[in-house]
Amino acid sequence: MLRSELVLGNGVVLPNRLAKAATSEQLADRHGAPTSQLIEAYRRLARSGAGLLISGNVMVDGSALEARRNVVIEDDRHLPALRRWAAVTAGTDVRLLLQLSHAGRQTMRGVTVAGRRQDVVAPSAVPLSLGKALFRPPRALAEAEIPAIVDRFARAAAVAATAGFAGAQLHGAHGYLLNQFLSPLVNQRADRWGGPLENRMRLLLEVVRAVRAATPDTFILSVKLNSADFQRGGFDADDALVVAKALEAEGVHLIEVSGGSYESTAMVTGRASTREREAYFLDFAEQFAKELTIPLMLSGGFRTRKGMIDALESGAVDLIGLARPIAHDPDFPQHLLDGTTEASTVRPQTVGIRDVDNLLNSAWHQQQLARLGRAKPVHPTRRPVVALALALLVALRDLVLVKGPFGRR
């Protein structure tokens, strides 16, 4: 089952049912261009065995980044480097998608490209309920500014297509701007972009239409969608199904089911009610599959070959997303396909403090990808305290060194 091809709605074929889900690499230069280190990491990942690769956040606005050293596409200025990145899958049947995103109110304080003035925006001026030292309160977007957001996504997708990428994934989950518009807690607008769900999903649908118009039919268009935000009174599973049906009607080729946000980190830790099922959001995928024909990708929590095959054979999902297991062992997908492994040995990295552990796990896996970018093997036995110390040193160096690449990790 893992080896079965998947034919998407535009006729593009994925060679198997394993995907490398998005990871936060943070390996761009200070201008937002992909570095040789990032490109080399993906050259290695293209040999992982996964039939689909999805990048980490590629931001459409250099004044609103989710983290330092995000890749940014605002125009074609980085086209040569983007072409080198896209070319890592040349001569293979592996497909590489760029995950296009706007951070909105989850813009990290003080983070821009090349000294750009920061502009933190959201549907409404609702600040995050955590990390006030890290995130500035946003200003509400004026209605006249919203079409420019749509244009940014379309322009970035058009550049990605020109560079040779197989497609793009719109990040409509995890509390980023497109998800913020979907949330009734963050979107408190009284115009045509807020209020009932029909209005709150307008921005996402307008972006989908603009991206489709700006790219060829063979360009894969995926959306990462929260099954729920897991906040009382927020975007819930019923809302998500309505949005998913609308995305299917708009001709989206693939929906990745996820959940949570910075304020409710289900995408990192899983939900208590589903954690024992291995895949965090499998129950939501099962509900979606009953009413949708569009292929569904599920990421978060998959660790065993049996769990993946069971999910595929149940009909709940069509594609298995793997992130941390691949950062831990870049050949894990190939081992699954060959039947030479039954489970990932990746384990959570902890120092015993919950909020620190969430950051630590992201940093630990970023460091493994950075090693791949230096043509080095991963270091799966790196101790959590060492990874945390390295992450703090890199963050400090990045604050001090305003020029040059992100550095070695």
Side-chain angles (χ1 to χ4, degrees):
M1 188 67 182
L2 296 177
R3 286 181 168 275
S4 300
E5 293 181 342
L6 178 63
V7 182
L8 302 179
N10 61 348
V12 174
V13 179
L14 303 183
N16 58 54
R17 299 306 179 96
L18 298 176
K20 179 255 168 202
T23 47
S24 183
E25 299 97 9
Q26 300 177 32
L27 289 173
D29 68 19
R30 74 186 190 96
H31 300 286
T35 59
S36 59
Q37 188 177 7
L38 177 61
I39 294 167
E40 180 59 33
Y42 271 84
R43 183 172 288 111
R44 176 63 182 85
L45 292 169
R47 304 195 305 271
S48 68
L52 179 68
L53 306 177
I54 303 176
S55 78
N57 273 324
V58 172
M59 313 309 292
V60 301
D61 188 341
S63 67
L65 308 187
E66 62 94 10
R68 291 178 175 83
R69 306 308 180 187
N70 284 147
V71 173
V72 178
I73 301 179
E74 295 180 313
D75 50 38
D76 62 1
R77 75 186 74 177
H78 303 318
L79 192 54
L82 290 167
R83 281 181 166 142
R84 290 193 294 274
W85 188 8
V88 300
T89 59
T92 76
D93 53 4
V94 177
R95 313 293 182 178
L96 173 55
L97 310 187
L98 293 186
Q99 185 184 73
L100 302 181
S101 181
H102 190 299
R105 68 175 187 156
Q106 289 181 174
T107 297
M108 187 173 288
R109 185 183 286 272
V111 174
T112 61
V113 294
R116 182 92 60 85
R117 181 180 178 182
Q118 192 170 64
D119 187 20
V120 182
V121 299
S124 304
V126 179
L128 282 165
S129 63
L130 78 166
K132 294 182 180 178
L134 295 176
F135 303 100
R136 291 172 49 195
R139 67 174 182 84
L141 281 161
E143 185 169 8
E145 293 178 292
I146 294 176
I149 300 288
V150 176
D151 291 342
R152 284 184 176 277
F153 278 96
R155 187 159 54 247
V159 172
T162 299
F165 289 94
Q169 181 182 76
L170 305 178
H171 202 335
H174 298 175
Y176 295 109
L177 185 65
L178 297 178
N179 181 224
Q180 290 164 31
F181 268 83
L182 292 172
S183 169
L185 297 178
V186 186
N187 186 346
Q188 299 177 3
R189 304 178 69 94
D191 58 16
R192 70 191 191 101
W193 304 96
L197 181 59
E198 179 184 5
N199 287 352
R200 287 185 279 118
M201 67 180 179
R202 188 185 305 277
L203 176 61
L204 176 57
L205 298 185
E206 289 291 338
V207 169
V208 165
R209 291 164 188 155
V211 167
R212 291 204 67 197
T215 56
D217 292 342
T218 54
F219 190 79
I220 299 169
L221 179 54
S222 170
V223 173
K224 190 167 192 170
L225 181 69
N226 268 4
S227 54
D229 293 345
F230 304 114
Q231 293 178 278
R232 188 181 299 275
F235 184 77
D236 61 22
D238 291 338
D239 293 337
L241 183 56
V242 172
V243 175
K245 287 180 177 179
L247 292 171
E248 181 177 62
E250 291 293 337
V252 168
H253 307 122
L254 177 69
I255 294 177
E256 180 182 356
V257 179
S258 191
S261 67
Y262 284 16
E263 293 177 317
S264 178
T265 55
M267 73 281 197
V268 176
T269 60
R271 298 167 58 243
S273 62
T274 61
R275 204 173 295 137
E276 293 183 359
R277 301 187 64 190
E278 182 170 333
Y280 298 158
F281 309 107
L282 183 57
D283 51 351
F284 293 103
E286 290 170 344
Q287 296 171 30
F288 286 17
K290 293 175 182 177
E291 302 195 45
L292 298 169
T293 59
I294 185 173
L296 297 178
M297 172 177 163
L298 185 62
S299 306
F302 279 113
R303 296 293 182 267
T304 70
R305 189 169 185 271
K306 182 180 184 303
M308 297 174 205
I309 292 173
D310 286 349
L312 291 168
E313 289 184 342
S314 74
V317 299
D318 303 280
L319 199 62
I320 303 295
L322 302 168
R324 291 178 178 178
I326 294 180
H328 181 267
D329 175 9
D331 293 316
F332 182 57
Q334 191 60 56
H335 295 323
L336 290 169
L337 295 171
D338 293 343
T340 55
T341 192
E342 291 300 318
S344 171
T345 57
V346 68
R347 296 291 182 270
Q349 306 297 314
T350 64
V351 293
I353 304 171
R354 188 183 66 176
D355 290 343
V356 173
D357 288 344
N358 288 340
L359 295 172
L360 167 63
N361 273 277
S362 294
W364 191 93
H365 291 89
Q366 284 170 12
Q367 289 166 18
Q368 305 306 322
L369 294 173
R371 289 180 63 85
L372 294 182
R374 291 186 277 116
K376 289 192 172 187
V378 295
H379 188 355
T381 59
R382 174 170 284 173
R383 295 171 57 199
V385 291
V386 174
L388 186 59
L390 284 171
L392 293 173
L393 285 172
V394 168
L396 178 61
R397 181 171 58 186
D398 197 52
L399 285 172
V400 175
L401 299 177
V402 295
K403 294 184 178 181
F406 192 40
R408 295 169 63 86
R409 284 181 284 172

